């Protein structure tokens, strides 16, 4: 298992989500949770933690985008791509 920790702030409406599902014969997403930061300030960000687990040997790419889910015709504010190899 691996945990990806990405800076996030759901008070802005944004969240990290897969651009496309990774090859599920290699890995699967186990959980996706938001952890508030240490700041007490209103609207302060935190971390979105995405846990992935290897299923079988192989390589796949997990592509994520930081979006407001209801804005379907807008480019992501950020993107991230991870090549994952399970041995």
């Amino acid at each position: 298992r691996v945990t990806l920790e990405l800076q996030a702030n759901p008070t802005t409406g944004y969240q990290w989500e897969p651009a496309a599902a990774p090859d599920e014969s290699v890995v699967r997403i186990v959980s996706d949770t938001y952890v508030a930061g240490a700041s007490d300030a209103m609207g302060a960000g935190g971390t979105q933690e995405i846990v992935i687990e290897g299923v079988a040997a192989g390589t796949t790419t997990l592509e994520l985008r930081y979006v407001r889910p209801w804005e379907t015709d807008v480019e992501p504010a950020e993107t991230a791509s991870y090549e994952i190899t399970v041995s």
Side-chain angles (χ1 to χ4, degrees), residues 1 23-30 52-58 60 84-87:
R1 283 186 177 203
D23 183 346
E24 293 182 348
S25 67
V26 178
V27 297
R28 67 184 182 100
I29 296 174
V30 176
I52 59 172
E53 179 177 66
V55 174
T60 189
I84 303 163
T85 301
V86 178
S87 53

Side-chain angles (χ1 to χ4, degrees), residues 48-84:
Q48 188 170 337
E49 296 182 353
I50 300 171
V51 179
I52 59 172
E53 179 177 66
V55 174
T59 300
T60 189
T61 301
L62 176 59
E63 294 185 19
L64 301 170
R65 54 195 195 126
Y66 194 54
V67 297
R68 289 178 171 143
W70 65 89
E71 294 181 336
T72 57
D73 59 343
V74 177
E75 290 293 316
E78 293 183 56
T79 60
S81 181
Y82 301 93
E83 185 173 319
I84 303 163

